[in-house]
């Protein structure tokens, strides 16, 4: 029933989307969730200090931000012209993926970072145009750099920006250099600020422990592992389906599809940064939600509804019985 309501691009999906966001994220207002007290990147630390003064204001802000991001993402997916049938399913799946685990129900660094990632995606998918290329590349690098100052694993998407450049454009050393300049500017300003205020030790407190932590598997709930496994299977099927369709796409669509696949690949580098498994799906949600939407549109109604019920049911279980 839920999937059917979001299958078209009608105003119904637009009206129901905020209600779904509230329904998925209402738990922190009635049940205490332990907030994250780990050191955070500078921009998110600033947000956390501001919202720490007002109880539950951070959760309200997260609901508003996530709703706006979902609507904006849906617009980006339509503008890519990758799919003929438009629907509100990308927005729905984005909200589900970004609300999947209890600690994501609170304001999380990935939430503000996601907005900058989306804007970067809108810049990258416009690289097929011949005008404003250097500006778009500079903006993309800059936006990923800013996103990483909220959530440092977002830096892995810099690989996606570079790979997308080689996908859309032939190599030009000036254009290639512009990407790196854009990505470095946020850190240059941050370094100058910390240096000027004698806080240089805070410049980058997160060492990259590049290893895959297998202990997370043994310490995870069985329902959580089943949920991760189901999403992984759906992702592999949707990526394979997208890659298979590249033969019938035009040049722009083909390059956009390849860029999407690079995005998914880059997202999973976070598994080697000691991050929980579901964070790979949270980072990839900007693209994965669109791939899931098209996969569900191709399914028979009862199959799509059953799969969505299974995904949503496991999320609700993890929210209320394993938080």
């Amino acid at each position: 029933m839920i999937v059917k309501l979001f299958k078209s691009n009608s105003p119904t999906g637009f009206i129901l989307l905020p209600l779904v966001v509230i329904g998925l994220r209402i738990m922190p207002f009635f049940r205490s969730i332990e907030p994250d007290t780990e050191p955070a990147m500078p921009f998110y630390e600033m947000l956390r200090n501001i919202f720490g003064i007002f109880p539950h204001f951070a959760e309200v802000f997260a609901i508003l931000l996530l709703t706006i991001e979902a609507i904006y993402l849906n617009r980006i997916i339509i503008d890519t012209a990758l799919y003929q049938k438009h629907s509100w399913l990308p927005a729905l799946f984005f909200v589900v993926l970004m609300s999947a685990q209890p600690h994501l129900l609170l304001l999380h660094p990935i939430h503000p970072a996601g907005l900058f990632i989306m804007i970067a995606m809108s810049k990258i998918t416009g690289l097929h145009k011949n005008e404003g290329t250097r500006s778009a590349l500079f903006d993309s690098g800059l936006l990923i750099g800013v996103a990483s100052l909220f959530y440092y694993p977002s830096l892995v998407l810099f690989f996606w920006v570079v790979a997308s450049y080689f996908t859309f454009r032939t190599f030009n050393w000036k254009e290639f250099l512009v990407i790196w300049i854009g990505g470095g500017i946020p850190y240059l300003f941050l370094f100058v600020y910390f240096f000027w205020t004698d806080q240089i030790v805070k410049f980058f407190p997160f060492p990259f422990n590049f290893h895959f932590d297998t202990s997370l598997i043994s310490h995870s709930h069985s329902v959580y592992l089943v949920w991760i496994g189901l999403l992984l299977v759906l992702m592999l099927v949707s990526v394979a389906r997208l890659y298979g369709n590249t033969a019938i796409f035009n040049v722009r669509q083909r390059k956009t599809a390849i860029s999407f696949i690079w995005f998914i690949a880059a997202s999973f580098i976070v598994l080697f940064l000691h991050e929980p498994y579901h964070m790979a799906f949270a980072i990839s949600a900007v693209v994965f939600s669109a791939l899931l939407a098209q996969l569900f549109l191709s399914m028979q109604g009862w199959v799509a509804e059953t799969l969505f019920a299974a995904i949503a049911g496991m999320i609700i279980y993890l929210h209320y019985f394993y938080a």
Side-chain angles (χ1 to χ4, degrees):
M1 182 63 180
I2 297 295
V3 175
K4 183 179 180 181
L5 292 172
F6 286 85
K7 265 191 171 183
S8 68
N9 202 29
S10 67
T12 303
F14 179 81
I15 295 170
L16 291 177
L17 185 64
L19 300 179
V20 173
V21 177
I22 294 171
L24 285 171
R25 306 182 68 86
I26 201 170
M27 188 181 76
F29 293 92
F30 301 100
R31 180 180 176 184
S32 177
I33 298 177
E34 191 67 26
D36 184 13
T37 56
E38 293 294 319
M41 291 299 282
F43 284 7
Y44 180 69
E45 187 68 37
M46 180 177 62
L47 274 181
R48 190 162 64 179
N49 291 336
I50 293 172
F51 291 134
I53 304 172
F54 308 101
H56 292 305
F57 189 75
E59 287 78 11
V60 174
F61 176 77
I63 288 173
L64 292 174
L65 180 61
L66 202 62
T67 303
I68 292 170
E69 287 179 350
I71 295 170
Y72 179 47
L73 174 62
N74 220 72
R75 183 71 257 171
I76 293 174
I77 299 303
I78 292 173
D79 289 343
T80 61
L82 194 60
Y83 303 111
Q84 292 182 345
K85 185 173 176 58
H86 300 154
S87 73
W88 283 101
L89 284 178
L92 174 65
F93 283 115
F94 176 78
V95 167
V96 169
L97 292 172
M98 295 295 280
S99 308
Q101 297 299 312
H103 75 274
L104 286 176
L105 300 181
L106 304 174
L107 183 63
H108 188 278
I110 189 62
H111 296 143
L115 181 60
F116 293 94
I117 293 170
M118 288 181 190
I119 301 174
M121 168 159 284
S122 69
K123 300 288 184 180
I124 289 294
T125 53
L127 286 178
H128 65 282
K129 304 173 184 177
N130 291 323
E131 66 276 2
T133 300
R134 291 182 187 176
S135 176
L137 290 170
F138 175 85
D139 291 347
S140 299
L142 179 68
L143 288 162
I144 296 301
V146 172
S148 70
L149 292 180
F150 286 99
Y151 183 57
Y152 86 97
S154 302
L155 270 179
V156 301
L157 294 178
F158 203 80
F159 295 105
W160 159 68
V161 174
V162 173
S164 295
Y165 166 69
F166 285 108
T167 300
F168 280 95
R169 308 285 298 177
T170 54
F171 179 76
N172 178 295
W173 71 270
K174 291 182 181 179
E175 292 180 348
F176 187 67
L177 184 61
V178 158
I179 300 173
W180 297 91
I181 293 173
I185 281 180
Y187 285 90
L188 175 62
F189 277 95
L190 187 67
F191 176 83
V192 171
Y193 170 77
F194 282 140
F195 178 79
W196 194 260
T197 57
D198 295 323
Q199 302 178 73
I200 199 65
V201 293
K202 296 182 180 179
F203 174 60
F204 201 81
F206 291 93
F208 277 85
N209 292 321
F210 200 78
H211 72 285
F212 183 74
D213 189 1
T214 55
S215 66
L216 290 173
I217 298 176
S218 58
H219 293 96
S220 298
H221 193 275
S222 57
V223 174
Y224 173 74
L225 293 178
V226 171
W227 181 78
I228 290 293
L230 177 59
L231 283 186
L232 186 59
V233 170
L234 291 174
M235 175 174 282
L236 291 173
V237 172
S238 59
V239 169
R241 187 171 179 270
L242 178 66
Y243 184 76
N245 287 338
T246 55
I248 60 174
F249 286 157
N250 60 37
V251 174
R252 177 194 173 186
Q253 291 173 323
R254 189 179 305 116
K255 290 181 177 181
T256 302
I258 294 172
S259 176
F260 277 13
I261 293 172
W262 277 117
F263 191 103
I264 297 288
S267 300
F268 274 77
I269 299 176
V270 302
L271 295 180
F272 296 91
L273 301 179
H274 200 67
E275 288 291 294
Y277 305 130
H278 60 267
M279 290 311 301
F281 293 104
I283 291 181
S284 68
V286 174
V287 167
F288 186 30
S289 56
L291 303 189
L292 272 180
Q294 293 306 309
L295 182 63
F296 273 64
L297 283 172
S298 67
M299 295 177 180
Q300 292 186 0
W302 69 271
V303 176
E305 297 290 355
T306 302
L307 274 176
F308 184 82
I311 294 171
M314 284 186 277
I315 287 175
I316 293 172
Y317 177 87
L318 292 170
H319 281 186
Y320 291 95
F321 301 104
Y322 192 63

Short mmCIF file of all heavy atoms in Angstrom, two decimals, residues 277-317:
data_model
loop_
_atom_site.label_atom_id
_atom_site.label_comp_id
_atom_site.label_asym_id
_atom_site.label_seq_id
_atom_site.Cartn_x
_atom_site.Cartn_y
_atom_site.Cartn_z
N TYR A 277 28.05 -0.83 9.50
CA TYR A 277 27.71 -1.23 8.13
C TYR A 277 26.62 -0.36 7.51
O TYR A 277 26.68 -0.03 6.33
CB TYR A 277 27.27 -2.70 8.12
CG TYR A 277 28.27 -3.65 8.73
CD1 TYR A 277 27.88 -4.58 9.69
CD2 TYR A 277 29.61 -3.59 8.37
CE1 TYR A 277 28.81 -5.43 10.27
CE2 TYR A 277 30.53 -4.44 8.94
CZ TYR A 277 30.13 -5.37 9.88
OH TYR A 277 31.05 -6.20 10.46
N HIS A 278 25.61 0.01 8.34
CA HIS A 278 24.49 0.76 7.77
C HIS A 278 24.90 2.15 7.32
O HIS A 278 24.18 2.78 6.54
CB HIS A 278 23.34 0.85 8.78
CG HIS A 278 23.71 1.53 10.07
ND1 HIS A 278 24.14 0.83 11.16
CD2 HIS A 278 23.72 2.84 10.42
CE1 HIS A 278 24.40 1.67 12.15
NE2 HIS A 278 24.15 2.90 11.72
N MET A 279 26.06 2.66 7.77
CA MET A 279 26.49 3.98 7.33
C MET A 279 26.88 3.98 5.86
O MET A 279 26.81 5.02 5.20
CB MET A 279 27.64 4.49 8.20
CG MET A 279 27.23 4.85 9.62
SD MET A 279 25.76 5.91 9.72
CE MET A 279 26.28 7.34 8.79
N ALA A 280 27.31 2.82 5.35
CA ALA A 280 27.60 2.73 3.91
C ALA A 280 26.32 2.95 3.11
O ALA A 280 26.32 3.62 2.07
CB ALA A 280 28.21 1.37 3.57
N PHE A 281 25.20 2.40 3.61
CA PHE A 281 23.91 2.60 2.93
C PHE A 281 23.41 4.03 3.13
O PHE A 281 22.75 4.58 2.26
CB PHE A 281 22.88 1.60 3.45
CG PHE A 281 23.18 0.18 3.10
CD1 PHE A 281 23.69 -0.70 4.04
CD2 PHE A 281 22.99 -0.29 1.81
CE1 PHE A 281 23.97 -2.01 3.71
CE2 PHE A 281 23.27 -1.60 1.46
CZ PHE A 281 23.77 -2.47 2.42
N ALA A 282 23.73 4.63 4.30
CA ALA A 282 23.30 6.01 4.56
C ALA A 282 24.00 6.98 3.62
O ALA A 282 23.38 7.88 3.06
CB ALA A 282 23.57 6.38 6.02
N ILE A 283 25.32 6.80 3.43
CA ILE A 283 26.06 7.67 2.52
C ILE A 283 25.61 7.44 1.08
O ILE A 283 25.43 8.38 0.30
CB ILE A 283 27.58 7.45 2.65
CG1 ILE A 283 28.07 7.96 4.01
CG2 ILE A 283 28.34 8.14 1.53
CD1 ILE A 283 29.55 7.81 4.22
N SER A 284 25.42 6.18 0.73
CA SER A 284 25.02 5.85 -0.65
C SER A 284 23.55 6.15 -0.93
O SER A 284 23.10 6.03 -2.07
CB SER A 284 25.30 4.37 -0.94
OG SER A 284 24.44 3.54 -0.18
N ALA A 285 22.79 6.57 0.11
CA ALA A 285 21.34 6.74 -0.03
C ALA A 285 20.98 7.73 -1.13
O ALA A 285 19.91 7.62 -1.75
CB ALA A 285 20.73 7.19 1.29
N VAL A 286 21.85 8.72 -1.39
CA VAL A 286 21.56 9.72 -2.41
C VAL A 286 21.35 9.06 -3.77
O VAL A 286 20.50 9.47 -4.55
CB VAL A 286 22.72 10.74 -2.49
CG1 VAL A 286 22.52 11.71 -3.64
CG2 VAL A 286 22.83 11.50 -1.16
N VAL A 287 22.12 8.00 -4.04
CA VAL A 287 21.99 7.26 -5.31
C VAL A 287 21.18 5.98 -5.12
O VAL A 287 20.33 5.65 -5.94
CB VAL A 287 23.38 6.93 -5.89
CG1 VAL A 287 23.27 5.90 -7.01
CG2 VAL A 287 24.04 8.19 -6.41
N PHE A 288 21.44 5.26 -4.04
CA PHE A 288 20.79 3.97 -3.81
C PHE A 288 19.28 4.10 -3.78
O PHE A 288 18.56 3.21 -4.25
CB PHE A 288 21.32 3.37 -2.51
CG PHE A 288 20.84 1.97 -2.22
CD1 PHE A 288 20.53 1.09 -3.25
CD2 PHE A 288 20.71 1.53 -0.92
CE1 PHE A 288 20.09 -0.20 -2.98
CE2 PHE A 288 20.28 0.25 -0.64
CZ PHE A 288 19.97 -0.62 -1.67
N SER A 289 18.77 5.21 -3.23
CA SER A 289 17.31 5.40 -3.17
C SER A 289 16.70 5.46 -4.58
O SER A 289 15.61 4.93 -4.80
CB SER A 289 16.98 6.67 -2.40
OG SER A 289 17.64 7.79 -2.96
N ALA A 290 17.43 6.09 -5.51
CA ALA A 290 16.93 6.16 -6.90
C ALA A 290 16.95 4.78 -7.55
O ALA A 290 16.01 4.41 -8.28
CB ALA A 290 17.77 7.14 -7.71
N LEU A 291 18.02 4.02 -7.30
CA LEU A 291 18.11 2.67 -7.88
C LEU A 291 17.03 1.76 -7.30
O LEU A 291 16.42 0.96 -8.02
CB LEU A 291 19.50 2.08 -7.62
CG LEU A 291 20.71 2.87 -8.12
CD1 LEU A 291 21.98 2.04 -7.98
CD2 LEU A 291 20.52 3.31 -9.57
N LEU A 292 16.81 1.87 -5.98
CA LEU A 292 15.75 1.08 -5.35
C LEU A 292 14.38 1.45 -5.92
O LEU A 292 13.55 0.57 -6.15
CB LEU A 292 15.76 1.31 -3.84
CG LEU A 292 16.66 0.43 -2.98
CD1 LEU A 292 16.52 0.84 -1.51
CD2 LEU A 292 16.32 -1.04 -3.14
N ALA A 293 14.17 2.73 -6.14
CA ALA A 293 12.87 3.18 -6.67
C ALA A 293 12.58 2.54 -8.01
O ALA A 293 11.48 2.02 -8.25
CB ALA A 293 12.87 4.70 -6.79
N GLN A 294 13.57 2.54 -8.90
CA GLN A 294 13.36 1.95 -10.22
C GLN A 294 13.20 0.43 -10.15
O GLN A 294 12.44 -0.16 -10.91
CB GLN A 294 14.52 2.32 -11.15
CG GLN A 294 14.58 3.79 -11.48
CD GLN A 294 13.26 4.31 -12.03
OE1 GLN A 294 12.69 3.75 -12.96
NE2 GLN A 294 12.78 5.41 -11.46
N LEU A 295 13.91 -0.18 -9.22
CA LEU A 295 13.78 -1.63 -9.04
C LEU A 295 12.37 -1.97 -8.56
O LEU A 295 11.74 -2.91 -9.07
CB LEU A 295 14.82 -2.14 -8.03
CG LEU A 295 14.85 -3.65 -7.77
CD1 LEU A 295 15.20 -4.41 -9.04
CD2 LEU A 295 15.83 -3.98 -6.65
N PHE A 296 11.85 -1.22 -7.62
CA PHE A 296 10.51 -1.47 -7.08
C PHE A 296 9.43 -1.15 -8.11
O PHE A 296 8.37 -1.79 -8.12
CB PHE A 296 10.29 -0.68 -5.79
CG PHE A 296 10.76 -1.38 -4.56
CD1 PHE A 296 12.10 -1.68 -4.37
CD2 PHE A 296 9.87 -1.77 -3.57
CE1 PHE A 296 12.56 -2.34 -3.24
CE2 PHE A 296 10.29 -2.44 -2.44
CZ PHE A 296 11.65 -2.72 -2.26
N LEU A 297 9.68 -0.18 -8.96
CA LEU A 297 8.71 0.14 -10.01
C LEU A 297 8.58 -0.99 -11.02
O LEU A 297 7.53 -1.17 -11.64
CB LEU A 297 9.12 1.42 -10.73
CG LEU A 297 8.83 2.74 -10.00
CD1 LEU A 297 9.46 3.91 -10.74
CD2 LEU A 297 7.34 2.97 -9.83
N SER A 298 9.64 -1.78 -11.17
CA SER A 298 9.62 -2.88 -12.14
C SER A 298 9.02 -4.16 -11.56
O SER A 298 8.78 -5.12 -12.29
CB SER A 298 11.05 -3.18 -12.62
OG SER A 298 11.84 -3.70 -11.57
N MET A 299 8.79 -4.18 -10.24
CA MET A 299 8.24 -5.37 -9.58
C MET A 299 6.73 -5.39 -9.66
O MET A 299 6.08 -4.36 -9.84
CB MET A 299 8.66 -5.40 -8.10
CG MET A 299 10.14 -5.54 -7.84
SD MET A 299 10.46 -5.47 -6.05
CE MET A 299 12.24 -5.67 -6.02
N GLN A 300 6.17 -6.58 -9.49
CA GLN A 300 4.73 -6.69 -9.31
C GLN A 300 4.35 -6.05 -7.98
O GLN A 300 5.14 -6.02 -7.04
CB GLN A 300 4.29 -8.16 -9.32
CG GLN A 300 4.45 -8.83 -10.67
CD GLN A 300 3.88 -10.24 -10.67
OE1 GLN A 300 3.37 -10.73 -9.67
NE2 GLN A 300 3.97 -10.90 -11.83
N GLY A 301 3.13 -5.53 -7.92
CA GLY A 301 2.70 -4.77 -6.75
C GLY A 301 2.88 -5.49 -5.44
O GLY A 301 3.44 -4.93 -4.48
N TRP A 302 2.45 -6.75 -5.36
CA TRP A 302 2.51 -7.46 -4.09
C TRP A 302 3.95 -7.76 -3.67
O TRP A 302 4.28 -7.78 -2.47
CB TRP A 302 1.70 -8.76 -4.16
CG TRP A 302 2.27 -9.82 -5.06
CD1 TRP A 302 2.04 -9.99 -6.39
CD2 TRP A 302 3.19 -10.86 -4.67
NE1 TRP A 302 2.75 -11.05 -6.87
CE2 TRP A 302 3.46 -11.61 -5.84
CE3 TRP A 302 3.80 -11.22 -3.48
CZ2 TRP A 302 4.33 -12.70 -5.84
CZ3 TRP A 302 4.67 -12.29 -3.47
CH2 TRP A 302 4.92 -13.03 -4.63
N VAL A 303 4.84 -7.98 -4.65
CA VAL A 303 6.25 -8.24 -4.33
C VAL A 303 6.88 -6.98 -3.75
O VAL A 303 7.59 -7.03 -2.74
CB VAL A 303 7.02 -8.69 -5.58
CG1 VAL A 303 8.50 -8.87 -5.27
CG2 VAL A 303 6.43 -9.98 -6.13
N ALA A 304 6.63 -5.83 -4.39
CA ALA A 304 7.18 -4.57 -3.92
C ALA A 304 6.67 -4.23 -2.52
O ALA A 304 7.45 -3.82 -1.64
CB ALA A 304 6.84 -3.45 -4.89
N GLU A 305 5.38 -4.42 -2.30
CA GLU A 305 4.80 -4.11 -0.98
C GLU A 305 5.35 -5.05 0.10
O GLU A 305 5.63 -4.61 1.22
CB GLU A 305 3.27 -4.22 -1.03
CG GLU A 305 2.60 -3.24 -1.97
CD GLU A 305 2.65 -1.80 -1.49
OE1 GLU A 305 3.14 -1.56 -0.38
OE2 GLU A 305 2.21 -0.93 -2.26
N THR A 306 5.54 -6.32 -0.24
CA THR A 306 6.07 -7.29 0.73
C THR A 306 7.51 -6.95 1.11
O THR A 306 7.88 -6.98 2.29
CB THR A 306 6.00 -8.72 0.16
OG1 THR A 306 4.65 -9.02 -0.17
CG2 THR A 306 6.52 -9.73 1.17
N LEU A 307 8.33 -6.64 0.10
CA LEU A 307 9.72 -6.28 0.38
C LEU A 307 9.82 -5.01 1.21
O LEU A 307 10.61 -4.92 2.15
CB LEU A 307 10.49 -6.11 -0.93
CG LEU A 307 11.08 -7.37 -1.55
CD1 LEU A 307 11.73 -7.04 -2.89
CD2 LEU A 307 12.11 -8.00 -0.62
N PHE A 308 8.99 -4.02 0.86
CA PHE A 308 9.03 -2.77 1.63
C PHE A 308 8.56 -3.01 3.06
O PHE A 308 9.13 -2.45 4.01
CB PHE A 308 8.16 -1.71 0.97
CG PHE A 308 8.22 -0.37 1.66
CD1 PHE A 308 9.26 0.50 1.41
CD2 PHE A 308 7.25 0.00 2.59
CE1 PHE A 308 9.34 1.72 2.05
CE2 PHE A 308 7.32 1.21 3.24
CZ PHE A 308 8.36 2.08 2.97
N ALA A 309 7.55 -3.84 3.23
CA ALA A 309 7.06 -4.16 4.57
C ALA A 309 8.15 -4.86 5.38
O ALA A 309 8.29 -4.60 6.59
CB ALA A 309 5.81 -5.03 4.49
N ALA A 310 8.92 -5.73 4.73
CA ALA A 310 10.00 -6.43 5.43
C ALA A 310 11.08 -5.44 5.87
O ALA A 310 11.56 -5.49 7.01
CB ALA A 310 10.61 -7.50 4.52
N ILE A 311 11.46 -4.53 4.97
CA ILE A 311 12.48 -3.53 5.30
C ILE A 311 12.00 -2.62 6.43
O ILE A 311 12.70 -2.40 7.42
CB ILE A 311 12.84 -2.68 4.06
CG1 ILE A 311 13.52 -3.55 3.00
CG2 ILE A 311 13.74 -1.52 4.44
CD1 ILE A 311 13.72 -2.86 1.66
N ALA A 312 10.77 -2.11 6.29
CA ALA A 312 10.23 -1.20 7.31
C ALA A 312 9.99 -1.92 8.63
O ALA A 312 10.24 -1.37 9.70
CB ALA A 312 8.93 -0.59 6.81
N GLY A 313 9.52 -3.18 8.55
CA GLY A 313 9.27 -3.95 9.76
C GLY A 313 10.53 -4.19 10.58
O GLY A 313 10.52 -4.06 11.81
N MET A 314 11.62 -4.51 9.91
CA MET A 314 12.89 -4.72 10.62
C MET A 314 13.41 -3.42 11.21
O MET A 314 14.00 -3.41 12.30
CB MET A 314 13.91 -5.35 9.68
CG MET A 314 13.68 -6.84 9.44
SD MET A 314 14.97 -7.64 8.45
CE MET A 314 14.43 -7.22 6.79
N ILE A 315 13.19 -2.30 10.51
CA ILE A 315 13.61 -1.01 11.05
C ILE A 315 12.83 -0.68 12.32
O ILE A 315 13.41 -0.25 13.33
CB ILE A 315 13.41 0.09 9.99
CG1 ILE A 315 14.45 -0.05 8.89
CG2 ILE A 315 13.50 1.48 10.62
CD1 ILE A 315 14.24 0.92 7.74
N ILE A 316 11.51 -0.90 12.29
CA ILE A 316 10.68 -0.63 13.47
C ILE A 316 11.11 -1.52 14.64
O ILE A 316 11.19 -1.07 15.79
CB ILE A 316 9.20 -0.84 13.13
CG1 ILE A 316 8.74 0.24 12.13
CG2 ILE A 316 8.33 -0.79 14.39
CD1 ILE A 316 7.36 0.01 11.57
N TYR A 317 11.41 -2.78 14.34
CA TYR A 317 11.88 -3.69 15.40
C TYR A 317 13.17 -3.17 16.03
O TYR A 317 13.30 -3.14 17.26
CB TYR A 317 12.11 -5.09 14.82
CG TYR A 317 12.67 -6.06 15.83
CD1 TYR A 317 11.83 -6.79 16.67
CD2 TYR A 317 14.05 -6.25 15.97
CE1 TYR A 317 12.34 -7.67 17.61
CE2 TYR A 317 14.57 -7.12 16.90
CZ TYR A 317 13.71 -7.83 17.72
OH TYR A 317 14.22 -8.68 18.67
#
